[in-house]
Amino acid sequence: MHMPSPMALLVIAIVVLVLFGRGKVSSLMGEFGKGITAFKKGLNDGTSEANAERNAALDKPVQPIQPVPGTEARDVTPSNEPRV
Protein backbone atom coordinates (compact mmCIF):
# COMPACT_ATOMS: atom_id res chain seq x y z
CA MET A 1 0.00 0.00 0.00
CA HIS A 2 1.12 3.52 -0.62
CA MET A 3 0.97 6.56 1.63
CA PRO A 4 -2.07 8.83 1.17
CA SER A 5 -1.32 12.16 -0.47
CA PRO A 6 -1.22 15.35 1.62
CA MET A 7 -4.49 16.46 0.01
CA ALA A 8 -6.22 13.23 1.07
CA LEU A 9 -4.91 13.65 4.64
CA LEU A 10 -6.26 17.22 4.70
CA VAL A 11 -9.71 16.03 3.56
CA ILE A 12 -9.71 13.30 6.22
CA ALA A 13 -8.74 15.84 8.91
CA ILE A 14 -11.55 18.19 7.84
CA VAL A 15 -14.13 15.38 7.90
CA VAL A 16 -12.99 14.33 11.39
CA LEU A 17 -13.22 17.92 12.64
CA VAL A 18 -16.72 18.31 11.19
CA LEU A 19 -17.96 15.03 12.66
CA PHE A 20 -16.47 15.33 16.15
CA GLY A 21 -15.81 19.03 16.66
CA ARG A 22 -12.61 20.75 17.66
CA GLY A 23 -13.01 20.22 21.42
CA LYS A 24 -13.53 16.47 21.18
CA VAL A 25 -10.57 15.99 18.82
CA SER A 26 -8.22 18.06 21.01
CA SER A 27 -9.28 16.15 24.14
CA LEU A 28 -8.73 12.83 22.33
CA MET A 29 -5.25 13.93 21.25
CA GLY A 30 -4.51 15.04 24.82
CA GLU A 31 -5.52 11.63 26.15
CA PHE A 32 -3.44 9.98 23.44
CA GLY A 33 -0.40 12.02 24.48
CA LYS A 34 -0.94 11.14 28.16
CA GLY A 35 -1.15 7.48 27.21
CA ILE A 36 2.15 7.61 25.36
CA THR A 37 3.79 9.42 28.28
CA ALA A 38 2.48 6.84 30.76
CA PHE A 39 3.67 4.01 28.51
CA LYS A 40 7.20 5.43 28.31
CA LYS A 41 7.25 5.98 32.08
CA GLY A 42 6.13 2.39 32.63
CA LEU A 43 8.92 1.10 30.40
CA ASN A 44 11.51 3.12 32.32
CA ASP A 45 10.11 2.00 35.69
CA GLY A 46 10.12 -1.65 34.61
CA THR A 47 13.72 -1.37 33.43
CA SER A 48 14.85 0.28 36.67
CA GLU A 49 13.05 -2.36 38.77
CA ALA A 50 14.65 -5.17 36.79
CA ASN A 51 18.08 -3.59 37.20
CA ALA A 52 17.53 -3.15 40.94
CA GLU A 53 16.50 -6.81 41.33
CA ARG A 54 19.48 -7.99 39.31
CA ASN A 55 21.88 -5.84 41.34
CA ALA A 56 20.36 -7.06 44.61
CA ALA A 57 20.83 -10.67 43.48
CA LEU A 58 24.43 -10.00 42.49
CA ASP A 59 25.21 -8.31 45.82
CA LYS A 60 23.90 -11.26 47.84
CA PRO A 61 26.75 -13.46 49.16
CA VAL A 62 26.86 -16.97 47.76
CA GLN A 63 27.11 -19.81 50.27
CA PRO A 64 29.38 -22.68 49.29
CA ILE A 65 27.76 -26.05 48.67
CA GLN A 66 28.55 -28.59 51.38
CA PRO A 67 29.11 -32.18 50.24
CA VAL A 68 26.68 -34.80 51.47
CA PRO A 69 28.38 -37.28 53.84
CA GLY A 70 29.06 -40.65 52.26
CA THR A 71 29.19 -39.35 48.69
CA GLU A 72 32.90 -38.63 48.45
CA ALA A 73 34.50 -39.30 45.09
CA ARG A 74 36.40 -42.53 44.76
CA ASP A 75 38.58 -43.93 42.03
CA VAL A 76 36.72 -46.49 39.92
CA THR A 77 39.26 -46.66 37.11
CA PRO A 78 40.00 -50.27 36.18
CA SER A 79 43.54 -51.27 37.01
CA ASN A 80 45.85 -53.15 34.67
CA GLU A 81 46.72 -55.68 37.35
CA PRO A 82 45.32 -59.18 36.81
CA ARG A 83 42.55 -60.30 39.12
CA VAL A 84 43.26 -63.05 41.58
Side-chain angles (χ1 to χ4, degrees):
M1 263 175 74
H2 66 279
M3 181 98 171
S5 68
M7 189 63 160
L9 291 174
L10 181 64
V11 170
I12 292 171
I14 291 172
V15 169
V16 168
L17 280 174
V18 168
L19 288 177
F20 297 108
R22 196 180 113 202
K24 184 69 172 177
V25 172
S26 67
S27 69
L28 285 174
M29 289 297 112
E31 293 297 322
F32 183 71
K34 288 178 186 176
I36 291 175
T37 304
F39 178 75
K40 287 181 180 179
K41 183 180 177 189
L43 284 178
N44 291 336
D45 289 347
T47 303
S48 63
E49 286 177 10
N51 287 339
E53 288 175 6
R54 187 182 75 225
N55 290 338
L58 291 175
D59 291 341
K60 196 184 246 187
V62 179
Q63 296 180 354
I65 299 174
Q66 300 296 324
V68 178
T71 60
E72 293 82 21
R74 60 177 200 245
D75 186 16
V76 291
T77 309
S79 65
N80 291 334
E81 298 175 10
R83 288 188 179 186
V84 187

